Amino acid sequence: MSALFEPFTLRDVTIPNRVWMPPMCQYSAAPEGPETGAPNDWHFAHYAARAAGGTGLVIVEATGVSPEGRISPYDLGIWNDTQVEAFRRITRFLVSQGTVPGIQLAHAGRKAATDQPWKGGAPLAPDHLGWQPLGPSPVAFDEKHPVPSELTTAQIASVVGQFADAARRARAAGFEVAEIHGAHGYLIGNFLSPHSNHRTDEYGGSYENRTRFALEVVDAVRAVWPDDKPLFFRISATDWLAEGGWTPDDTVRFARDLQAHGVDLLDVSSGGNASGGVRIPVGPGYQVPFAARVKAETTLPVAAVGLITDAEQAEKILSNGEADAVLLGRELLRNPSWARHAARELGGDVHVPDQYHRSV
């Protein structure tokens, strides 16, 4: 059998294949009113199409654990019961298609309160749907972003509690996999990297201190997330800085810590925490070597992401032992039925809805 279409089991959850959809923000939720942060018809159609197309795991986009944790006012959230009920419609359909529903729990940190990207993505003022961003230190992402308010230790504890509450709601909404967002320069990543974390207390300075907040979040989520359900962590394996940032060596070390705290898989991305002095060699599979290194040097399962576009490329990543699964972002936006097409090309088996039997 094609490696891409072998089932993959973590704890008591079996994902039918290794073609997974990563979180990709749609910036399409209501920004205010009673439906703020709740998924709507767009989200249902978007995720349902990928499930009908054979995707084994769909991870819903970065979902704010609090209103101020959203990247934009148009992001999804999971801090109230209205949002939970709206998510149930999506998770029920995904499960009906044999797809495992996952959700990414997130706090945007110093990169919060921005406009929709097709409107420029600029920071929004508090009197125009924006709010004051938060961070480990009063260090702005770039000259266009406001200086974030430095979190106190009491506020840090509150955010940890927000992640736990969000995990409880995610399970009530029917999700089978939870992923903690620690990548791309958002709040957890802000704490991890010395580039954005200039604190001198127990949450800054040494590696142990900079990883403390992330591990507290993991512990809090793992404590309320069912023992039989897997927990993922998404990480930026490098800040792509020559010095003064988070590094691949840090990632390998942290992977071992995450596994010891109950994380079941590392979703390996990169970048997003530094706006200047960054040179990223973007190309097909450019982030796969980071996942491959974690897989080679630890026992933590990994998923690879980053310009993975064709079936042979994805199959090679798995058969070479570079990752346990692949996440296709832009390619699944272009082709919701990518998994079905890849199965036909590689001789794999994938779920096809009865209504689409003519396409087999």
Side-chain angles (χ1 to χ4, degrees), residues 63-256:
T63 302
V65 300
S66 65
E68 65 274 10
R70 295 169 295 167
I71 300 167
S72 84
Y74 305 94
D75 281 9
L76 295 180
I78 193 160
W79 64 80
N80 66 42
D81 293 340
T82 298
Q83 296 157 349
V84 169
E85 188 58 38
F87 274 122
R88 286 193 182 116
R89 180 185 178 208
I90 294 172
T91 58
R92 281 195 300 265
F93 184 84
L94 266 57
V95 170
S96 78
Q97 299 305 303
T99 295
V100 173
I103 186 171
Q104 186 182 71
L105 306 177
H107 193 298
R110 66 180 184 165
K111 293 170 72 174
T114 58
D115 205 350
Q116 293 160 310
W118 51 85
K119 294 181 180 178
L124 295 170
D127 60 353
H128 190 64
L129 297 178
W131 57 89
Q132 174 61 32
L134 305 170
S137 304
V139 180
F141 174 65
D142 60 21
E143 66 279 359
K144 297 178 181 178
H145 282 72
V147 175
S149 297
E150 180 173 300
L151 287 162
T152 65
T153 53
Q155 288 175 313
I156 290 171
S158 177
V159 174
V160 171
Q162 290 168 353
F163 271 93
D165 289 342
R168 289 191 192 95
R169 288 193 171 95
R171 186 65 197 113
F175 289 101
E176 299 286 320
V177 172
E179 176 173 275
I180 296 169
H181 196 356
H184 303 156
Y186 300 122
L187 186 62
I188 293 175
N190 295 163
F191 273 86
L192 293 176
S193 175
H195 176 74
S196 47
N197 183 347
H198 298 178
R199 300 176 75 99
T200 58
D201 64 1
E202 65 267 37
Y203 289 98
S206 68
Y207 165 89
E208 290 80 8
N209 285 354
R210 287 183 284 107
T211 60
R212 187 184 308 277
F213 171 59
L215 294 177
E216 287 180 350
V217 170
V218 169
D219 288 345
V221 170
R222 186 75 269 181
V224 301
W225 191 245
D227 287 342
D228 61 346
K229 306 297 181 189
L231 177 62
F232 293 5
F233 190 97
R234 185 166 234 199
I235 195 164
S236 284
T238 176
D239 284 341
W240 294 105
L241 291 169
E243 58 183 19
W246 184 262
T247 70
D249 288 344
D250 292 327
T251 295
V252 171
R253 180 180 179 183
F254 192 46
R256 299 189 184 102

Side-chain angles (χ1 to χ4, degrees), residues 249-273:
D249 288 344
D250 292 327
T251 295
V252 171
R253 180 180 179 183
F254 192 46
R256 299 189 184 102
D257 294 339
L258 289 170
Q259 188 172 27
H261 285 255
V263 168
D264 300 291
L265 180 138
L266 192 65
D267 175 356
V268 185
S269 187
S270 71
N273 194 43

